Amino acid sequence: MKNNKGITLIALVITIIVLLILAGVTIAMLSGDNGILTKASKAVEDTDEADKKEEVSRAINELMTEYYDAKYVSNTLTDSAQTSSQYVLANIASKTTATVSGNTITTAKDKKGKQYKITYTGDKLGEWEEVTTNP
């Protein structure tokens, strides 16, 4: 008898079945509610939301520093009766793309068209809430 070197039909079928199982598992990991692609798009949305909130929070902190510097360090505050929260609300538009209505600060729309608003009174931030999801 000759010594044949090669793959048998059974080994080939088993290899194909294993490859199909691996391909199915890979596709399932990429798609679906817990898939990598879904998680990546959710992460992008969360990052956009955090960027908008960070922009407003950073601007508030900068304005608070300016207020206290003008009031207590350099004595250049033109309206000495103005509170720090009034100063922040009056000047927030110069530091951000946000808009102010009363004591509510509304962020600009993010890439998905979402906006967030927060109330700011007595130097305290309220809870962030989503305004709209219309692009």
Side-chain angles (χ1 to χ4, degrees):
M1 293 206 107
K2 286 186 183 179
N3 192 2
N4 290 336
K5 295 181 182 178
I7 189 166
T8 64
L9 187 59
I10 295 172
L12 180 62
V13 169
I14 291 173
T15 303
I16 290 173
I17 290 172
V18 168
L19 287 174
L20 288 173
I21 291 170
L22 289 174
V25 168
T26 303
I27 290 171
M29 293 296 288
L30 287 174
S31 61
D33 290 340
N34 273 341
I36 293 171
L37 300 176
T38 305
K39 287 183 179 183
S41 64
K42 174 73 171 132
V44 168
E45 289 177 15
D46 291 347
T47 301
D48 288 343
E49 177 182 339
D51 285 346
K52 292 297 179 187
K53 292 177 180 179
E54 174 70 20
E55 176 189 24
V56 171
S57 297
R58 185 177 54 246
I60 288 171
N61 290 333
E62 288 176 14
L63 288 166
M64 290 294 293
T65 302
E66 286 177 18
Y67 173 80
Y68 288 120
D69 179 54
K71 185 171 183 175
Y72 297 111
V73 178
S74 62
N75 293 323
T76 58
L77 189 62
T78 56
D79 183 4
S80 60
Q82 190 177 36
T83 66
S84 56
S85 57
Q86 289 170 333
Y87 180 84
V88 167
L89 292 169
N91 295 293
I92 192 86
S94 66
K95 299 268 186 192
T96 66
T97 56
T99 57
V100 177
S101 175
N103 64 345
T104 302
I105 302 168
T106 305
T107 65
K109 290 184 179 180
D110 66 11
K111 294 174 187 170
K112 295 280 187 176
K114 293 183 181 178
Q115 289 178 291
Y116 306 92
K117 70 178 179 179
I118 189 165
T119 54
Y120 183 73
T121 54
D123 302 334
K124 294 184 181 178
L125 289 175
E127 294 293 320
W128 288 98
E129 61 182 270
E130 188 175 326
V131 177
T132 181
T133 55
N134 296 331

